[in-house]
PDB file of all heavy atoms in Angstrom:
ATOM      1  N   ILE L1026      60.133 175.099  60.176  1.00  0.00           N
ATOM      2  CA  ILE L1026      60.785 173.953  59.541  1.00  0.00           C
ATOM      3  C   ILE L1026      59.726 173.091  58.859  1.00  0.00           C
ATOM      4  O   ILE L1026      58.560 173.081  59.259  1.00  0.00           O
ATOM      5  CB  ILE L1026      61.609 173.078  60.523  1.00  0.00           C
ATOM      6  CG1 ILE L1026      60.721 172.441  61.587  1.00  0.00           C
ATOM      7  CG2 ILE L1026      62.760 173.858  61.124  1.00  0.00           C
ATOM      8  CD1 ILE L1026      61.437 171.371  62.421  1.00  0.00           C
ATOM      9  N   VAL L1027      60.163 172.386  57.819  1.00  0.00           N
ATOM     10  CA  VAL L1027      59.329 171.391  57.149  1.00  0.00           C
ATOM     11  C   VAL L1027      60.163 170.119  57.057  1.00  0.00           C
ATOM     12  O   VAL L1027      61.314 170.145  56.609  1.00  0.00           O
ATOM     13  CB  VAL L1027      58.906 171.840  55.738  1.00  0.00           C
ATOM     14  CG1 VAL L1027      58.057 170.757  55.063  1.00  0.00           C
ATOM     15  CG2 VAL L1027      58.150 173.168  55.791  1.00  0.00           C
ATOM     16  N   ILE L1028      59.568 169.027  57.498  1.00  0.00           N
ATOM     17  CA  ILE L1028      60.203 167.711  57.412  1.00  0.00           C
ATOM     18  C   ILE L1028      59.371 166.865  56.458  1.00  0.00           C
ATOM     19  O   ILE L1028      58.138 166.871  56.525  1.00  0.00           O
ATOM     20  CB  ILE L1028      60.285 167.047  58.804  1.00  0.00           C
ATOM     21  CG1 ILE L1028      61.190 167.877  59.722  1.00  0.00           C
ATOM     22  CG2 ILE L1028      60.775 165.602  58.691  1.00  0.00           C
ATOM     23  CD1 ILE L1028      61.203 167.421  61.170  1.00  0.00           C
ATOM     24  N   LYS L1029      60.045 166.161  55.574  1.00  0.00           N
ATOM     25  CA  LYS L1029      59.383 165.327  54.556  1.00  0.00           C
ATOM     26  C   LYS L1029      59.766 163.879  54.792  1.00  0.00           C
ATOM     27  O   LYS L1029      60.942 163.560  54.990  1.00  0.00           O
ATOM     28  CB  LYS L1029      59.872 165.792  53.182  1.00  0.00           C
ATOM     29  CG  LYS L1029      59.487 164.922  52.026  1.00  0.00           C
ATOM     30  CD  LYS L1029      60.131 165.458  50.755  1.00  0.00           C
ATOM     31  CE  LYS L1029      60.035 164.458  49.634  1.00  0.00           C
ATOM     32  NZ  LYS L1029      60.651 164.963  48.405  1.00  0.00           N
ATOM     33  N   GLU L1030      58.752 163.000  54.785  1.00  0.00           N
ATOM     34  CA  GLU L1030      59.013 161.566  54.957  1.00  0.00           C
ATOM     35  C   GLU L1030      58.194 160.784  53.927  1.00  0.00           C
ATOM     36  O   GLU L1030      56.969 160.951  53.871  1.00  0.00           O
ATOM     37  CB  GLU L1030      58.660 161.113  56.371  1.00  0.00           C
ATOM     38  CG  GLU L1030      59.517 161.803  57.423  1.00  0.00           C
ATOM     39  CD  GLU L1030      59.275 161.285  58.818  1.00  0.00           C
ATOM     40  OE1 GLU L1030      58.344 161.770  59.475  1.00  0.00           O
ATOM     41  OE2 GLU L1030      60.033 160.388  59.227  1.00  0.00           O
ATOM     42  N   PRO L1031      58.854 159.943  53.134  1.00  0.00           N
ATOM     43  CA  PRO L1031      58.122 159.142  52.134  1.00  0.00           C
ATOM     44  C   PRO L1031      57.091 158.235  52.811  1.00  0.00           C
ATOM     45  O   PRO L1031      57.390 157.573  53.811  1.00  0.00           O
ATOM     46  CB  PRO L1031      59.215 158.315  51.457  1.00  0.00           C
ATOM     47  CG  PRO L1031      60.480 159.098  51.689  1.00  0.00           C
ATOM     48  CD  PRO L1031      60.291 159.739  53.045  1.00  0.00           C
ATOM     49  N   ILE L1032      55.905 158.202  52.257  1.00  0.00           N
ATOM     50  CA  ILE L1032      54.825 157.392  52.820  1.00  0.00           C
ATOM     51  C   ILE L1032      55.223 155.922  52.885  1.00  0.00           C
ATOM     52  O   ILE L1032      54.965 155.250  53.886  1.00  0.00           O
ATOM     53  CB  ILE L1032      53.513 157.582  52.028  1.00  0.00           C
ATOM     54  CG1 ILE L1032      52.999 159.015  52.218  1.00  0.00           C
ATOM     55  CG2 ILE L1032      52.458 156.564  52.440  1.00  0.00           C
ATOM     56  CD1 ILE L1032      51.808 159.389  51.358  1.00  0.00           C
ATOM     57  N   ASN L1033      55.897 155.416  51.854  1.00  0.00           N
ATOM     58  CA  ASN L1033      56.270 154.000  51.864  1.00  0.00           C
ATOM     59  C   ASN L1033      57.258 153.685  52.994  1.00  0.00           C
ATOM     60  O   ASN L1033      57.205 152.608  53.581  1.00  0.00           O
ATOM     61  CB  ASN L1033      56.816 153.547  50.503  1.00  0.00           C
ATOM     62  CG  ASN L1033      58.072 154.286  50.084  1.00  0.00           C
ATOM     63  OD1 ASN L1033      58.440 155.309  50.649  1.00  0.00           O
ATOM     64  ND2 ASN L1033      58.722 153.766  49.055  1.00  0.00           N
ATOM     65  N   GLU L1034      58.144 154.623  53.354  1.00  0.00           N
ATOM     66  CA  GLU L1034      59.065 154.399  54.469  1.00  0.00           C
ATOM     67  C   GLU L1034      58.330 154.440  55.812  1.00  0.00           C
ATOM     68  O   GLU L1034      58.666 153.689  56.732  1.00  0.00           O
ATOM     69  CB  GLU L1034      60.191 155.432  54.450  1.00  0.00           C
ATOM     70  CG  GLU L1034      61.169 155.212  53.316  1.00  0.00           C
ATOM     71  CD  GLU L1034      62.308 156.223  53.310  1.00  0.00           C
ATOM     72  OE1 GLU L1034      62.553 156.893  54.356  1.00  0.00           O
ATOM     73  OE2 GLU L1034      62.960 156.358  52.253  1.00  0.00           O
ATOM     74  N   VAL L1035      57.327 155.295  55.917  1.00  0.00           N
ATOM     75  CA  VAL L1035      56.519 155.352  57.139  1.00  0.00           C
ATOM     76  C   VAL L1035      55.745 154.050  57.293  1.00  0.00           C
ATOM     77  O   VAL L1035      55.688 153.475  58.385  1.00  0.00           O
ATOM     78  CB  VAL L1035      55.576 156.575  57.135  1.00  0.00           C
ATOM     79  CG1 VAL L1035      54.603 156.518  58.303  1.00  0.00           C
ATOM     80  CG2 VAL L1035      56.381 157.874  57.155  1.00  0.00           C
ATOM     81  N   ASN L1036      55.151 153.564  56.192  1.00  0.00           N
ATOM     82  CA  ASN L1036      54.422 152.296  56.243  1.00  0.00           C
ATOM     83  C   ASN L1036      55.347 151.151  56.657  1.00  0.00           C
ATOM     84  O   ASN L1036      54.970 150.293  57.452  1.00  0.00           O
ATOM     85  CB  ASN L1036      53.770 151.998  54.893  1.00  0.00           C
ATOM     86  CG  ASN L1036      52.620 152.935  54.593  1.00  0.00           C
ATOM     87  OD1 ASN L1036      52.065 153.576  55.483  1.00  0.00           O
ATOM     88  ND2 ASN L1036      52.282 153.047  53.321  1.00  0.00           N
ATOM     89  N   GLN L1037      56.557 151.163  56.128  1.00  0.00           N
ATOM     90  CA  GLN L1037      57.545 150.142  56.493  1.00  0.00           C
ATOM     91  C   GLN L1037      57.899 150.245  57.977  1.00  0.00           C
ATOM     92  O   GLN L1037      58.011 149.232  58.670  1.00  0.00           O
ATOM     93  CB  GLN L1037      58.803 150.298  55.639  1.00  0.00           C
ATOM     94  CG  GLN L1037      59.848 149.246  55.897  1.00  0.00           C
ATOM     95  CD  GLN L1037      61.074 149.431  55.005  1.00  0.00           C
ATOM     96  OE1 GLN L1037      61.081 150.203  54.058  1.00  0.00           O
ATOM     97  NE2 GLN L1037      62.118 148.688  55.326  1.00  0.00           N
ATOM     98  N   PHE L1038      58.044 151.457  58.484  1.00  0.00           N
ATOM     99  CA  PHE L1038      58.312 151.662  59.910  1.00  0.00           C
ATOM    100  C   PHE L1038      57.193 151.071  60.761  1.00  0.00           C
ATOM    101  O   PHE L1038      57.448 150.386  61.747  1.00  0.00           O
ATOM    102  CB  PHE L1038      58.472 153.154  60.215  1.00  0.00           C
ATOM    103  CG  PHE L1038      58.516 153.463  61.681  1.00  0.00           C
ATOM    104  CD1 PHE L1038      59.710 153.331  62.396  1.00  0.00           C
ATOM    105  CD2 PHE L1038      57.375 153.864  62.371  1.00  0.00           C
ATOM    106  CE1 PHE L1038      59.758 153.593  63.760  1.00  0.00           C
ATOM    107  CE2 PHE L1038      57.415 154.131  63.730  1.00  0.00           C
ATOM    108  CZ  PHE L1038      58.606 153.994  64.423  1.00  0.00           C
ATOM    109  N   PHE L1039      55.942 151.332  60.372  1.00  0.00           N
ATOM    110  CA  PHE L1039      54.803 150.785  61.119  1.00  0.00           C
ATOM    111  C   PHE L1039      54.819 149.253  61.096  1.00  0.00           C
ATOM    112  O   PHE L1039      54.553 148.615  62.114  1.00  0.00           O
ATOM    113  CB  PHE L1039      53.474 151.297  60.565  1.00  0.00           C
ATOM    114  CG  PHE L1039      53.083 152.664  61.068  1.00  0.00           C
ATOM    115  CD1 PHE L1039      52.706 153.676  60.190  1.00  0.00           C
ATOM    116  CD2 PHE L1039      53.071 152.957  62.423  1.00  0.00           C
ATOM    117  CE1 PHE L1039      52.336 154.923  60.649  1.00  0.00           C
ATOM    118  CE2 PHE L1039      52.702 154.207  62.894  1.00  0.00           C
ATOM    119  CZ  PHE L1039      52.335 155.195  62.000  1.00  0.00           C
TER     120      PHE L1039
END
Side-chain angles (χ1 to χ4, degrees):
I1026 63 169
V1027 179
I1028 296 172
K1029 170 184 167 180
E1030 297 185 275
I1032 293 173
N1033 61 346
E1034 289 181 18
V1035 172
N1036 290 341
Q1037 183 179 349
F1038 170 83
F1039 278 129

